[in-house]
Amino acid sequence: VKAYNEDFYVLRQSGCVHAEKPFLFLIFGNDAALLEDTGVARREPAANGEKTVPTAPVVMDLIAQWAARKGRAPVPLTVIHSHAHGDHVAGDAQFQAMGVRVIAPTPAAIQDATGIKNWPNDIGQIDLGGRIVDVIPFPGHNEASIALYDRLTGILLTGDSLYPGLLSVVQPDLATFTASTQRLAAFVREQPVAHVLGTHIEQKNQPYLDYGRGTVYQPDESGLALSRAHVFELNEAFLAMNGTLKTFAAPQFTIVPRGAATASR
Amino acid sequence: MDLIAKWAKKKNRAPMPLVVIHSHSHGDHTAGDAQFKTLPNVQFVAATPADVQRAAGIKNWPSDIGQIDLGQRVIDVIPIPGHDVASIALYDRRTGNLMTGDSLYPGRLYVPEAEIATYAASAKRLVDFVATRPVAQVLGAHIEQGRRPYFDYPRGTTYQPDEHVLQLTRAHVFELHEARWFRGRRRRHSHPTSRRPTGLACSPASCRRGGRAAGPTASKSQRGR
């Protein structure tokens, strides 16, 4: 758990727990808190017979600490997902068991919850009380992929669609992904963007080098933060493909074509 | 020259001739020229399009790309007029480093109003160049940006304890090219209620300033650097 500031937390599940090592994000407004992703839920491998990854207690504890520090009652939590893949949603049940509102990782549920009329062209909002988070449909990596833009910090959360590592795309979704990236480029053209934060790191700290997928120990990995510039770089990369998916290495990320059968994250 | 002597000694060979070229012609990048011009074994390329064309074999300025061959190490010379008529970028094929001078660095990028179209065209050619090449780092000729996005030190700051690192990335070349979108925004920002100085288009790692803006900060006085 790392506090970006007192109202914005970056959480990561350790490589000792699961090789995906996904990131989760917790954002506080005056009236509500928003968690993006619930991560993996099962340790692989199990440690001392312990299989469960207790994510919900950690998050609820953060909320309690936040409330105590502010001298106020805890705020209700809403869970939303960067996309529907297992390593980002597996902890949902833990939160549901605690009565937390979990927005299902489907376009329809996201539309309902954030007031998106036309998927994927419209942008929705979640109002946390004095803090609006924009919800930008970003289908491509997954049909329910979204980007979140926190207007208060200018941080853009891009899930598995853009992060320092291996971005997996399947050929049938290339056109959708390209269109999504164009919409995101149009969005950041008009907005200040402090950081672009995705949900994994596979990149090394040197340009064009990465750890293979599933690496547990990454002592020399890159920072999580990409920049507004990388949205444009991703957009240009997709446009240059002209409809034919191929591997493309940029200094801080690589687009990796994957077979539809294996692309479940 | 001492570095060259040391390099030769470390390699156990004779020192080699030096070529001097310039990111552009402004004083803070060329003022040391006189010290080099008189030295033996120095090939001096003046900071003018004509001299750069001759030295790098560029037929058509600015649309062609020239080369300087150092012996098993080719440096591409890409004309990118805009900040200055003689602005170039250098691409070292060996390391993949792209040197962009004052045209792209973490700080405030100054453009005379009359040169905005030229500068935008240069940014487009730079985009086309990096589209097909690996770029390890993008290295400019100043740092004015702070480590945090959108923050910069004022011009002429001598102590910058929390400055941005020098290197930008390939992605920032695309972002610079996208800054053409700010031209419409700039007009909007010229509205009297705008608190942002007219002509200042900011990205997290750099600001682009048009010449008409902000009077003395962006007029002729800016062209001296």
Side-chain angles (χ1 to χ4, degrees), chain B residues 10-192:
Chain B
K10 207 154 49 211
K11 305 263 178 179
N12 198 21
R13 50 164 296 172
M16 47 178 50
L18 174 68
V19 181
V20 173
I21 198 164
H22 308 84
S23 60
H24 61 297
S25 71
H26 291 163
D28 52 335
H29 304 272
T30 59
D33 282 3
Q35 297 172 28
F36 288 90
K37 271 182 181 166
T38 52
L39 293 176
N41 235 4
V42 168
Q43 184 202 340
F44 183 83
V45 183
T48 64
D51 257 48
V52 174
Q53 280 187 262
R54 205 171 310 128
I58 296 171
K59 259 194 204 151
N60 302 300
W61 180 279
S63 46
D64 287 356
I65 292 168
Q67 279 85 34
I68 292 175
D69 191 344
L70 304 176
Q72 311 271 299
R73 183 171 200 159
V74 172
I75 309 288
D76 289 304
V77 181
I78 310 137
I80 49 168
H83 174 76
D84 176 46
V85 288
S87 286
I88 55 170
L90 296 178
Y91 178 71
D92 173 23
R93 297 186 192 177
R94 177 87 64 86
T95 57
N97 285 336
L98 180 70
M99 279 152 284
T100 45
D102 277 8
S103 302
L104 177 57
Y105 66 86
R108 291 178 300 280
L109 313 180
Y110 295 98
V111 197
E113 180 77 22
E115 303 301 329
I116 284 182
T118 311
Y119 188 77
S122 290
K124 172 73 173 91
R125 286 198 314 282
L126 209 52
V127 156
D128 292 341
F129 184 86
V130 302
T132 54
R133 289 170 178 84
V135 180
Q137 318 277 0
V138 172
L139 306 174
H142 296 276
I143 299 173
E144 286 144 7
Q145 208 69 10
R147 213 172 36 82
R148 289 187 295 161
Y150 294 103
F151 283 86
D152 58 29
Y153 289 95
R155 221 169 115 70
T157 305
T158 49
Y159 179 57
Q160 302 184 160
D162 205 23
E163 69 180 11
H164 195 283
V165 294
L166 175 60
Q167 64 268 27
L168 294 176
T169 69
R170 179 178 180 276
H172 291 94
V173 177
F174 294 108
E175 191 176 29
L176 176 70
H177 177 52
E178 287 285 339
R180 74 191 187 279
W181 290 94
F182 279 107
R183 297 186 63 186
R185 165 175 285 209
R186 195 183 62 230
R187 270 177 231 115
R188 276 207 296 284
H189 272 267
S190 64
H191 192 274

Side-chain angles (χ1 to χ4, degrees), chain A residues 100 117 144 209 214 263:
Chain A
V100 170
K117 262 195 203 148
L209 300 182

Side-chain angles (χ1 to χ4, degrees), chain A residues 4 185 189-195 207-208 227-230 232-233 235-236 248-252, chain B residues 127 131 133-137 149-150 169-172 174-175 177-178 181-182 185 188 202-204:
Chain A
Y4 175 77
R189 234 168 243 146
E190 301 299 329
Q191 310 293 337
V193 179
H195 306 284
Y208 294 105
S227 71
R228 179 177 178 273
H230 293 92
F232 298 124
E233 190 176 32
N235 188 30
E236 295 286 340
F248 174 80
Q252 279 80 35
Chain B
V127 156
R133 289 170 178 84
V135 180
Q137 318 277 0
Y150 294 103
T169 69
R170 179 178 180 276
H172 291 94
F174 294 108
E175 191 176 29
H177 177 52
E178 287 285 339
W181 290 94
F182 279 107
R185 165 175 285 209
R188 276 207 296 284
C202 288
S203 75

